Amino acid sequence: MHIIVCLKQVPDARQVRLDPETHTLIRQGVESIINPYDLYALEAGLRIRDERGGKVTVLTMGPPQAEDSLREAISYGADEAALLSDRAFAGADTWATSFTLARGVEKLAPFDLILCGKQAVDGDTAQVGPGLAERLGLPYATWVRKIEAVEEDRIRVQRLMDDGYDRLEITLPALLTVVKEINEPRVPSLKGKMRAKTQKIPLYGAADLGADAGQVGLSGSYTQVMRVFAPVRRREREMLQGPVEKQVHDLWVNLKNRQLIPFDVAGSR
Amino acid sequence: MSATLLIDTDLCSGCESCVSVCPFSALSMADGKPLVNDQCTLCGACAEICPEGAIRVPEAAPAAGPDPAYRGVMIFAEQRLGRVAEVAFELLHKGRELADTLGVTLTAALLGRELDGPARELLRYGADRVYTVDDPRLEGFTDEAYGEALTQIIRSVKPEILLAGATPIGRSFIPKTATQVGTGLTADCTELEIDAEKRLLLQTRPAFGGNIMATITCPQRRPQMATVRPKVLKKGAPSDSPAGEIVPFNLDWSGISGKTRLLEIVEELSEKVRLAEADVIVAGGRGLQEAKHFSLIRELAELLGGAVGASRGAVDSGWIPYAHQVGQTGKTVAPKLYVAIGVSGAVQHLVGMQSAETIVAINSDPQAPIFDVATYGIVGDLFEVVPEMIRQLKAAGG
Amino acid sequence: MDYFLTEEQQMIKEIAHKIAEERIKPVRAELDEKEEFPTELLKVIAQSDLFGVAIPQEYGGFGGGCLENCLAVEELSRACLGVSTSFAASGLGAYPILLFGSEEQKQTYLPDIASGRRLAAFGLTESTAGSDAGGILTTAQIRGDEYILNGTKQWITNGGEAEIYTVIAITDRAKGARGASAFIVEKGDPGFGFGKKESKMGIRASATRELVFNQCRIPKSRLIAREGMGFIVAMKTFDQSRPGVGAQGVGVAQGALEEAIQYGRTRVQFGKPIITFQAVQHMLADMATQTEAARALVYAAARFVDSGAKDVSKISAMAKVFATDVAMKVTTDAVQVLGGTGYMRDYPVEKMMRDAKILQIYEGTNQIQRNVIGQELNKEGGRKK
């Protein structure tokens, strides 16, 4: 089986902070990591490969340094990798990104399965996976929390919904986006790390993909970012004072007055 | 796929180079000429290799401006098991406002089975017209059928704005429809405004885990599509005498291959659901220090008749299952009362709970950002404060 | 501090660090509380190839040496000594085969140990023979193509969990120390059983059991080196492994130091974080200095061992005794910095303190280490005359 796992290199969202003065993002010293959800996709791919044989190819679109994320994926056990990188790709929205990835996938064809994380933690759109599937004319399932069975020409999965889950059977080749419930990713191995150092990773630019400048990156995007700003948080706030019993008591009285609790704690002091 | 490969059989010399180059085995030869099957993805490998220039990939030429034929606001009204999702009513309320500003009609698209009741409900909540596709094949959700159905409705009705709930269903198939229709899509919006002059939808959404907000537009393509986060828009009051109409839509099923088969819908009324619907949520964060201290949170939640929430930190530490997570990567909640205990208030948490009516924050660090959104704040050791809260509630007969 | 590690050595540290942070820390308290053997964690470690760090590449390992082993052990120990002991004990069990095994023995056992498919253990101690290895009662008698083993080994780390055991038994009591030999015994060999799991003060995630040999029959080919080589095998094994015990000490000291610093920065008394008080600062300064000194000595010793030098007993013992005494001191001081909080089981430092104690006891008590060092000093003094 040939499994393609799409990765995105993202700034570690846990480290991103807002400057309280300027309300701008402090990106300094923020590490780049593989989008955490993509690691679950990678693990799902590796497990299918370990069980059924075949290979896992990791694919990413990004700046040249996104190659690091591909090498990291190799250290986890991916067999091959491909990088889509070109100045022309910059500023892509999900429309242009899925277009570019689709062209990249075609370079890696034939394949049986494409796996993506449910969304990237920087953009949080969850649109590239389904968009890519549609570009390639593939059936797909999102929010996959379990792969029940993989056969030569079909796959059975569970899709996580708000009120439970759906069981689906999908004809291969297909695309899945996975949620973190699906597995616990392995750790990189020493041998994988050694291989990651030396493995050749092909690089494809816009011309290699046969893409016009108007189809990729910012100029190939249908949505435009008009404004970026810090979220405003405003609220009348009351910091309660005094000893703990008094603070707690005042809290309950206030909540009672707002009809948020049914109890009368007035006498409990 | 809606578009197909264009093959000029007069130019074709029958050299078969397209067949061998096709990465999807989509081409075969019949009577010396290539035949394309549904594996074709329009990748263009064949067009590139063809020495005669006999193969062309249809390319949607970028329009100079938005197509003026598109008018009106449409919402996708999600229903599951016969129940219209709350977010549909929220969208109708917002959609009404947008449609009135633009001076156009507000329509809704509804897919499923036995849709009379749900369709009438949509009319009561402000839709001028409800397009329904009543078909057993739409009873359960598949991206393929839903995506194709909505695409066909959009192509026929031509709305300039399409809104859907940013639910597991909406966020799953709307990207497919947007790709099919060939327009931009903005995910998980929390605010919508209209630039009436340019007829431009201003779609605001959080990014970077909620650290920044971005306003996004789609100037060239129509419809302007967005998924909208549930519980951030207000729901309107229903009308007793709705004037709108219900219009059954005839779906052409020929393009729907059935490669995705829904085997079973398994309902699991989980903590996640309780969380979304709870009026009171008591949430714990890293300040609890370990799993067993969540018993304090549970006890307080029980006394207040509420659900238990958690920050990502607490979930990541393995103290409590993901179903309890509130925030950007968890659940967005809007209870009447939200009690945050030992939660520092990382932005990614705040975006998930700041629309709660009343927020109580208890934290030992007076600088904790959670206090910025709190209605009432208590600075102190939660291991002293929470037991005292429980004691006083119990003493009051809680 | 920069120890000028190679890229490969950095990789080992990174992987072990990742496992420690992401996998071990979240479960260490529970493993300790339940005295549960870390089977799942050892699988993770196996998948990461760390079991093979010090095993040559031709046997499926990474081809590193003592230093590589120390780096892995240190990082794992930072999170949990119980887990790192289970890991390191497998390496200890492998050393006799690695150092003295026949080509066939190496081919048979090392690839499985390197991949983590099978866990190893080393068995020397008996109720009558701990520090005094001459008190060994377990015997091995040759009968035809087999050795028959009788006797009981005590307090064997990984006992019952491991599948490959290297044990020392007496083949010729008349020859005294030269009458001991080393053997490979496999779980499942006829007449080989285990005692009950011991209840311990610390390193409670690790498993400690008796090995019971009752007319245990093993093929003759399981003899390591020659008859009579047993003590040499054991001593050379310890020369290799003792820096690793030192690395455990460095790791647990580092872990405790980090907890103490973190707590000191957040705990407020008299309106200020306690780390701003000189009394606390000086304690932390000493803890950090001692830990760094221990690390420097352990790495130096490991590099010396890896250089192929012959007389490594003294420096190896020094690394073990110094780093493990530091571990006991630093973990005890960490509990002190955390005060009442540190004494509570809700925080990891009391466990670190309980765990650290074993380091001064196993693989030769620190008193025995000092004997080794002292004897070497005496020898060296004699040579200088």
Side-chain angles (χ1 to χ4, degrees), chain B residues 162-345:
Chain B
L162 183 124
L163 307 176
T167 61
I169 288 178
R171 295 189 75 183
S172 186
F173 88 95
I174 297 289
K176 177 186 174 80
T177 293
T179 307
Q180 282 187 323
V181 175
T183 189
L185 169 63
T186 308
D188 206 19
C189 298
T190 53
E191 255 180 81
L192 297 171
E193 283 172 290
I194 202 96
D195 177 337
E197 196 187 323
K198 294 182 186 153
R199 304 185 80 84
L200 215 48
L201 182 66
L202 310 181
Q203 310 156 85
T204 298
R205 66 182 303 269
F208 275 104
N211 280 294
I212 57 168
M213 304 296 288
T215 302
I216 291 171
T217 61
C218 178
Q220 298 296 327
R221 293 285 169 151
R222 292 296 174 268
Q224 306 168 74
M225 289 179 61
T227 60
V228 182
R229 184 177 294 192
K231 292 225 165 198
V232 299
L233 299 177
K234 279 199 189 67
K235 175 179 166 181
S239 150
D240 292 333
S241 50
E245 53 175 342
I246 298 170
V247 181
F249 184 87
N250 262 334
L251 191 62
D252 173 7
W253 284 89
S254 63
I256 303 172
S257 72
K259 283 181 176 173
T260 312
R261 296 166 292 279
L262 180 61
L263 304 176
E264 190 184 1
I265 297 176
V266 183
E267 272 194 286
E268 268 180 353
L269 269 194
S270 61
E271 201 62 42
K272 212 166 144 190
V273 178
R274 280 187 14 85
L275 202 58
E277 289 169 358
D279 281 337
V280 176
I281 293 173
V282 182
R286 267 198 218 276
L288 287 168
Q289 288 160 0
E290 68 177 304
K292 65 182 182 196
H293 297 145
F294 255 95
S295 58
L296 281 172
I297 304 293
R298 286 199 191 88
E299 188 173 1
L300 185 58
E302 202 168 305
L303 286 168
L304 293 171
V308 173
S311 71
R312 185 168 79 182
V315 172
D316 283 354
S317 302
W319 300 339
I320 188 162
Y322 171 70
H324 293 266
Q325 187 170 321
V326 172
Q328 176 82 359
T329 46
K331 199 81 200 159
T332 302
V333 296
K336 292 195 169 73
L337 174 61
Y338 191 91
V339 185
I341 296 171
V343 175
S344 65

Side-chain angles (χ1 to χ4, degrees), chain C residues 34-55:
Chain C
K34 294 187 180 163
E35 308 203 12
E36 189 180 311
F37 190 73
T39 309
E40 285 306 311
L41 287 174
L42 294 179
K43 275 189 201 156
V44 171
I45 294 171
Q47 190 160 41
S48 73
D49 300 332
L50 287 184
F51 274 108
V53 279
I55 291 175

